[in-house]
């Protein structure tokens, strides 16, 4: 009992304000928000998205971010003929208009800490489907605020369910907001820090 976990704290009011004033507010079924690097495993991301489009050929997907695997991602999108489904935004200073107007977030990371993009999505009520990596296992309650799986077929099925089932999406969204409020309690964060330093 010598360790204490402190989640990153987000200014929720600032996040909502950025979402409201964002210049880009297109609606998407799925969003990926993050770097296109080995850690994030974007090759697996595109493979999963390809399978999702087989049963949902009209879905719209946003990929926001850049990285050293960007060209590989572009080539995979071209090879899978996903150009009409996936829009690559590159880096955006304010992606929150798109994030807040997406039905869900998909993450396929090999490893993670506590990703800020996941906390931001949760604040905005966006359920997350993800591989069960590190900090995401603490953030996501499987079946309650989103889904965790290391099986591509399961990831595909869960994403399709969220996209096509408005009642499920609303249920997950409400639970996601409640979970975010529990985690991102700034007063509790301050009190935890005070209690730690008072012991030193």
């Amino acid at each position: 009992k010598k360790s204490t976990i402190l989640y990153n704290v987000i200014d929720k009011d600032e996040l909502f304000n950025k979402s409201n004033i964002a210049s880009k507010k297109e609606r998407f079924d799925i969003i990926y928000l993050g770097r296109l690097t080995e850690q994030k495993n974007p090759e697996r991301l595109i493979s999963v998205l390809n399978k999702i489009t087989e049963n949902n050929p009209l879905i719209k997907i946003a990929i926001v971010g850049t990285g050293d695997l960007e060209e590989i991602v572009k080539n995979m999108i071209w090879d899978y003929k996903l150009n009409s489904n996936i829009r690559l935004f590159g880096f955006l200073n304010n992606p929150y208009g798109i994030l807040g107007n997406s039905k869900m977030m998909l993450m396929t990371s090999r490893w993670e800490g506590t990703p800020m993009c996941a906390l931001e999505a949760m604040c905005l009520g966006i359920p997350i489907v993800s591989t069960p990596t590190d900090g995401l296992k603490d953030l996501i309650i499987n079946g309650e605020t989103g889904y965790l799986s290391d099986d591509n077929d399961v990831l595909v099925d869960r994403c399709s369910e969220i996209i096509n089932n408005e009642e499920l999406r609303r249920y997950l969204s409400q639970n996601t907001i409640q979970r975010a409020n529990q985690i991102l309690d700034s007063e509790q964060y301050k009190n935890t820090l005070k209690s730690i330093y008072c012991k030193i």
Side-chain angles (χ1 to χ4, degrees):
K1 297 184 179 180
K2 294 182 180 179
S3 299
T4 300
I5 296 174
L6 281 173
Y7 294 103
N8 294 321
V9 175
I10 291 173
D11 186 329
K12 291 183 282 188
D13 291 336
E14 182 181 1
L15 178 65
F16 295 140
N17 181 56
K18 286 183 177 179
S19 178
N20 289 331
I21 67 173
S23 59
K24 296 184 183 296
K25 293 185 178 180
E26 292 98 325
R27 294 185 179 276
F28 289 90
D29 296 295
I30 299 174
I31 184 172
Y32 167 82
L33 176 58
R35 292 172 292 116
L36 301 176
T37 60
E38 181 186 1
Q39 173 194 351
K40 304 291 186 177
N41 202 353
E43 300 100 324
R44 186 176 189 179
L45 173 77
I46 302 301
S47 295
V48 171
L49 292 174
N50 180 54
K51 287 188 175 182
I52 295 170
T53 60
E54 290 176 1
N55 295 322
N56 303 271
L58 298 179
I59 69 165
K60 296 298 180 185
I61 302 153
I63 294 181
V64 182
T66 61
D68 53 11
L69 298 181
E70 186 171 354
E71 286 304 312
I72 291 175
V73 168
K74 289 179 180 178
N75 290 335
M76 289 184 71
I77 290 172
W78 179 264
D79 291 342
Y80 283 135
K81 299 179 173 61
L82 297 175
N83 301 75
S84 62
N85 299 101
I86 298 177
R87 183 170 172 188
L88 290 167
F89 282 91
F91 173 78
L92 291 177
N93 275 320
N94 185 352
Y96 306 114
I98 297 172
L99 179 59
N101 281 300
S102 297
K103 292 181 179 179
M104 57 153 293
M105 174 184 277
L106 175 60
M107 301 182 72
T108 54
S109 300
R110 291 185 170 93
W111 70 90
E112 282 287 356
T114 303
M116 293 295 291
C117 65
L119 294 172
E120 291 162 346
M122 292 173 70
C123 280
L124 295 171
I126 309 303
I128 302 169
V129 174
S130 175
T131 46
T133 52
D134 308 314
L136 286 162
K137 291 189 289 186
D138 294 325
L139 297 180
I140 299 170
I141 302 174
N142 204 31
E144 294 291 326
T145 64
Y147 296 100
L148 296 166
S149 179
D150 206 27
D151 184 310
N152 280 8
D153 289 334
V154 175
L155 293 174
V156 170
D157 290 343
R158 295 297 176 260
C159 289
S160 297
E161 288 171 4
I162 294 173
I163 292 167
N164 297 315
N165 188 330
E166 184 177 351
E167 185 176 347
L168 172 63
R169 194 164 64 249
R170 187 164 50 246
Y171 169 79
L172 294 172
S173 179
Q174 291 171 349
N175 290 341
T176 294
I177 291 171
Q178 291 176 5
R179 177 73 175 139
N181 289 336
Q182 291 171 356
I183 294 171
L184 301 172
D185 186 329
S186 59
E187 287 304 313
Q188 181 178 340
Y189 182 87
K190 292 174 187 175
N191 291 335
T192 302
L193 280 177
K194 287 179 183 176
S195 68
I196 293 170
Y197 282 103
C198 285
K199 293 177 183 177
I200 297 175

